[in-house]
Amino acid sequence: DGGITQSPKYLFRKEGQNVTLSCEQNLNHDAMYWYRQDPGQGLRLIYYSQIVNDFQKGDIAEGYSVSREKKESFPLTVTSAQKNPTAFYLCASSFLRGAGVDIQYFGAGTRLSVL
Amino acid sequence: GQQLNQSPQSMFIQEGEDVSMNCTSSSIFNTWLWYKQDPGEGPVLLIALYKAGELTSNGRLTAQFGITRKDSFLNISASIPSDVGIYFCAGPDSNDYKLSFGAGTTVTVRA
């Protein structure tokens, strides 16, 4: 089945620990995105990538890092510098057709909590 | 990103009721998207609108692209319990491959 797979579904982080959230897509999409969702707020963009080995900061990149070594994969690391990491994290992907808006499709999310 | 104002923030509705929500932007859009997020899941695209004045349906859902190109509306007819969730509007950011999202309308259905 084609889709976007995020893992794990639930993740717990200890003080001072880095944790990595996985995102894999088999839709042959060009672009991938990471969003953070807090209660009562919309989706805020953390990082995005249009092509392999390239990525850009979104609106709230501080305390996060990403890599894009393969077209299918876009892991997000929540570093110890992120002081308020508890949130629901969503990965999305889309084609880049170069004309008009490209619809983004989302994974099922990872809920990160601090121990 | 672009500022999208979505209202109402939340609503409690009776099963069988029709409901409406809307979204406004500070700038003109060429596309409006409506997503629904079930509890604990990722958003799923419901309807995409590409032309001012366009009216598009998906089952009991109907969405309209406002003629000013700065607003959009989503209607749900004859609500059922599975309509529970958060409905987001989205539109293009300054770059088309990025989206800006409204804060969402949380819908709770009373059986």
Side-chain angles (χ1 to χ4, degrees), chain B residues 7-21 76 79-81 83-85 87 105-111:
Chain B
S7 66
Q9 186 176 4
S10 63
M11 58 170 62
F12 289 85
I13 57 177
Q14 197 76 28
E15 189 173 351
E17 278 184 346
D18 297 347
V19 299
S20 293
M21 60 194 79
I76 306 172
S79 305
I80 60 176
D83 289 333
V84 163
Y87 293 79
T105 294
T106 300
V107 172
T108 306
V109 179
R110 295 193 201 96

Side-chain angles (χ1 to χ4, degrees), chain B residues 35-102:
Chain B
Y35 287 86
K36 184 196 176 195
Q37 184 179 28
D38 288 330
E41 298 294 328
V44 174
L45 182 71
L46 297 174
I47 294 176
L49 301 163
Y50 298 102
K51 188 177 174 182
E54 180 181 353
L55 192 70
T56 298
S57 293
N58 177 4
R60 293 177 296 103
L61 306 174
T62 302
Q64 184 165 22
F65 195 140
I67 57 173
T68 67
R69 296 175 62 192
K70 289 187 174 184
D71 56 7
S72 181
F73 308 88
L74 177 69
N75 298 309
I76 306 172
S77 62
S79 305
I80 60 176
S82 63
D83 289 333
V84 163
I86 306 175
Y87 293 79
F88 291 103
C89 60
D93 200 284
S94 50
N95 294 310
D96 278 346
Y97 55 86
K98 290 167 60 182
L99 294 177
S100 291
F101 288 85

Side-chain angles (χ1 to χ4, degrees), chain A residues 42, chain B residues 1-7 22-27 29 31-33 70-71 88-93 99-104:
Chain B
Q2 302 283 3
Q3 192 79 6
L4 295 185
N5 295 309
Q6 198 170 343
S7 66
N22 69 79
C23 196
T24 60
S25 70
S26 54
S27 56
F29 279 2
T31 302
W32 280 100
L33 304 175
K70 289 187 174 184
D71 56 7
F88 291 103
C89 60
D93 200 284
L99 294 177
S100 291
F101 288 85

Side-chain angles (χ1 to χ4, degrees), chain A residues 21-32:
Chain A
L21 285 60
S22 170
C23 180
E24 303 275 333
Q25 55 98 1
N26 60 3
L27 301 169
N28 199 32
H29 282 170
D30 309 291
M32 297 186 74

Side-chain angles (χ1 to χ4, degrees), chain A residues 65-113:
Chain A
S65 66
V66 293
S67 62
R68 185 95 185 271
E69 297 177 2
K70 298 187 299 181
K71 186 176 183 179
E72 303 79 19
S73 179
F74 192 41
L76 173 75
T77 297
V78 184
T79 74
S80 57
Q82 174 49 250
K83 297 307 179 188
N84 183 24
T86 297
F88 192 51
Y89 291 87
L90 288 160
C91 177
S93 67
S94 73
F95 288 115
L96 285 179
R97 295 192 168 95
V101 170
D102 292 295
I103 292 171
Q104 293 181 20
Y105 297 88
F106 288 84
T110 292
R111 186 165 299 280
L112 176 62
S113 303

